[in-house]
Each structure stands twice: as C-alpha cells, then as structure tokens.
Amino acid sequence: MCAVAALVFVMVVVGGITRLTESGLSITRWDVVSGTLPPIGDAAWAVQFEAYKASSQYQMMNRGMTLAEFQGIFFWEYVHRLLGRLIGVAFALPLLWFWVKKAIPQSYKPRLLALLMLGALQGTIGWWMVSSGLVGRTEVAHERLAVHLTVALAIMAGCIWTALDLLRSGPVAAPRPRRWVTPFAVLLLVQIIWGAFVAGMRAGHASDTWPLMFGTLIPTGLVRTASDIIDAPITVHFIHRSMAWLVAAAALLIAFRLWRAGAGVRALALGGAVVLQFCLGVATVLSGVAISLGVAHQAGGALLVAATVWAAHWSVQGRSA
C-alpha cells in the first residue's frame, strides 16, 4: 500500500509536468492495451504526429511544430499514462495474490476493492479530461482537471490510511485531538480544487506579484457574475492565493495542538509541509509560473495531503477530545 501511494505521488508530479509543458493533449486516442508501447519507427511516429495535427491545440497554438518538438511533449503524456497502467498492476496483482492466499482480513476487502475500482475509474476520468481539450480549445477543461487531480489524491490518501490501519499496534486509551480532521480535510479539498482550476486555466499567469495583485490586496471587479468564481482566471487566482493563508493558519494551529498532545513528529510534518507549500506557491507566482516551481508546488500539495492523512489517522485512533 505504501508503494502504491508512492507511485501515485510520482504520478501526480508527472501530471504537473504534463500540464505545465502543455503535453497532455499530445496523445489523441485512449488505447488501453496497444498504447502501452510507444511509437516504434518513423511510420508509427508519423501516424501519431498526424493525429496530433488534427487537434485544436496544434491548429491554434503549435502550428509548425517539428517532429522532434512533438516527441518532447509526447514523452511526458506517455510516461503519465504508462504510470497509470503500472499503478493498476502494482495494486491489482498483489491484491489478487494475497486474496488467493487468504491473507487479507475480511474487513479490508471492501475497502481494497473500492480503491481498485476508483483506480480503474481514474483512467476513464483521465480520458474524459483529455477529450475535453481536443476540439475547439488548447487545454483541457479545468473542472475535469480538478476531478482528475482530486481522485488521484484520494487514491493516495486511501492507500496511506489503509497502510496505517494495517500497521496499527492496538487500541489507544489516551484522548487525542480529532475534531479538526473533517473541517481541515474539507478546507484542504477546496484549496486543492481551486489549485487545479488555476493550473487548468493557466490562471497562475494572471499576476506575478505577491502579496498584492495589480497593486492592491483585493483587485476590483473580481466577481461580476457567479460563474467568475470558477471561470474567471483573475478571480480563481485570487481565491486560491487568499485561501492559502487560511489553510496555512489552520494547519499550523493543528500542528501546535498535535505537538502538545504528544504527536511531535506528525506535528512537524504537517507544519513543515504547509509552510513549504505556502512558500512554493509564492515563489511560483513571483517566477511567472516557472515549470520547475510549478511542479514543485504540485508535489508539495501531495505531500501536504500525505502529512494530513498521517496526522489525522493518529488523531482518530484515540478517544475524542
């Protein structure tokens, strides 16, 4: 379970590279089996390139791209899809083995099957996302990107939580702070969704200054219609950067409570992860969304999720406090 969670983390990082390098639309078909192998030979590459030339991204943004340039963006999307297949195999084969060996506790079987089904669904969600960007636009729909990222992190969190359950040594008598778990999980989820909106809409380019946007803390005309909250790049960018303060403050307060309750390492992990993520977000904005920093920011988000799951699992094992 830990290995699968690590693979999902790598998948999230590669997904960030794929988005920031505009590589996600380079493969225009979903070939579950035959797509496992990359194009071999000039003829196969020509077929893939011609298929990409029919896409809106090529017609509207990359017209005149050379084959070598196409191979550069094809690489990241291919690796991303290959990792998805690898994660499926890494989860399904051991699951089948331990199931046959009757080594899986009965209470874990529904959860493991649910994670397997969620992983299979994620592949479908990925293609649903890609298909949104093939006609009439140069990027995938940001709402679908948000769903894709959220499900990936949910799978990673589910794997970590299950691993921690399996490693649990017994009942805990001492009370532990736990009321924070659900509110903070919801807050973090909303922040992740708006972060995906920012990435999908390229809204990170809306402003390259911090803490001010366009010389002010709150730009004028942020919300002219209700849809601006999810569709207007400046508004989406402002919401994401503003919520970062709330997430950071909440996480640091929780970390302080965990420290006082005796969960020192987990407190440091949660506090350190949120501070790192906040700093990476600021650096990404100030850099004009440099690819390296943007990818690091997405990786930091996944690490913050992992740290939250680790701390939350410890908290819920004790009596409510």
Side-chain angles (χ1 to χ4, degrees):
M1 298 304 297
C2 291
V4 173
L7 283 173
V8 176
F9 172 79
V10 174
M11 181 79 157
V12 170
V13 173
V14 173
I17 298 173
T18 301
R19 174 65 198 92
L20 289 167
T21 57
E22 306 284 358
S23 302
L25 299 175
S26 58
I27 303 178
T28 58
R29 295 181 58 185
W30 188 32
D31 298 317
V32 178
V33 178
S34 60
T36 303
L37 295 176
I40 300 175
D42 293 342
W45 275 112
V47 169
Q48 288 285 350
F49 195 20
E50 288 303 315
Y52 177 66
K53 286 181 178 179
S55 70
S56 297
Q57 187 182 70
Y58 177 85
Q59 297 290 334
M60 299 167 66
M61 190 173 75
N62 288 334
R63 184 180 291 274
M65 170 182 278
T66 66
L67 176 60
E69 290 171 332
F70 169 69
Q71 289 171 329
I73 63 173
F74 183 96
F75 171 80
W76 287 113
E77 176 64 6
Y78 172 74
V79 170
H80 189 58
R81 297 192 186 197
L82 188 63
L83 271 171
R85 294 177 173 91
L86 176 61
I87 291 169
V89 172
F91 190 97
L93 289 186
L95 176 63
L96 178 61
W97 172 263
F98 288 121
W99 199 296
V100 170
K101 292 292 185 180
K102 301 185 186 303
I104 300 176
Q106 190 66 31
S107 61
Y108 284 84
K109 289 181 179 180
R111 187 194 313 188
L112 294 172
L113 287 175
L115 284 170
L116 179 64
M117 293 173 63
L118 193 59
L121 177 63
Q122 178 71 330
T124 303
I125 292 172
W127 175 246
W128 174 65
M129 177 189 68
V130 169
S131 64
S132 70
L134 295 177
V135 179
R137 56 193 303 164
T138 62
E139 73 289 321
V140 300
H142 61 282
E143 302 94 337
R144 300 188 186 188
L145 176 64
V147 174
H148 192 49
L149 176 61
T150 301
V151 172
L153 292 174
I155 293 171
M156 186 187 76
C159 289
I160 294 172
W161 192 280
T162 302
L164 292 171
D165 274 350
L166 291 165
L167 292 168
R168 187 172 48 195
S169 58
V172 178
R176 295 174 176 179
R178 60 182 296 182
R179 294 174 183 171
W180 65 270
V181 173
T182 299
F184 185 73
V186 172
L187 176 63
L188 186 57
L189 172 63
V190 173
Q191 177 69 335
I192 287 169
I193 290 172
W194 256 261
F197 289 167
V198 170
M201 301 173 67
R202 307 185 183 102
H205 297 278
S207 173
D208 61 358
T209 60
W210 185 90
L212 304 181
M213 286 183 69
F214 313 115
T216 181
L217 282 173
I218 305 177
T220 58
L222 279 177
V223 183
R224 292 184 173 88
T225 65
S227 64
D228 286 350
I229 295 174
I230 61 173
D231 289 332
I234 292 176
T235 306
V236 168
H237 180 115
F238 175 79
I239 291 173
H240 187 58
R241 68 155 61 189
S242 299
M243 284 189 62
W245 290 100
L246 183 58
V247 172
L252 290 174
L253 177 60
I254 293 164
F256 175 71
R257 291 194 64 196
L258 292 173
W259 181 275
R260 292 187 63 183
V265 177
R266 291 168 180 81
L268 290 175
L270 180 60
V274 79
V275 169
L276 174 65
Q277 179 67 342
F278 189 96
C279 292
L280 285 172
V282 173
T284 301
V285 168
L286 295 178
S287 71
V289 193
I291 291 178
S292 58
L293 288 171
V295 173
H297 188 50
Q298 181 145 320
L303 289 176
L304 178 56
V305 170
T308 300
V309 171
W310 192 32
H313 187 273
W314 180 86
S315 292
V316 301
Q317 299 313 304
R319 294 197 299 266
S320 61

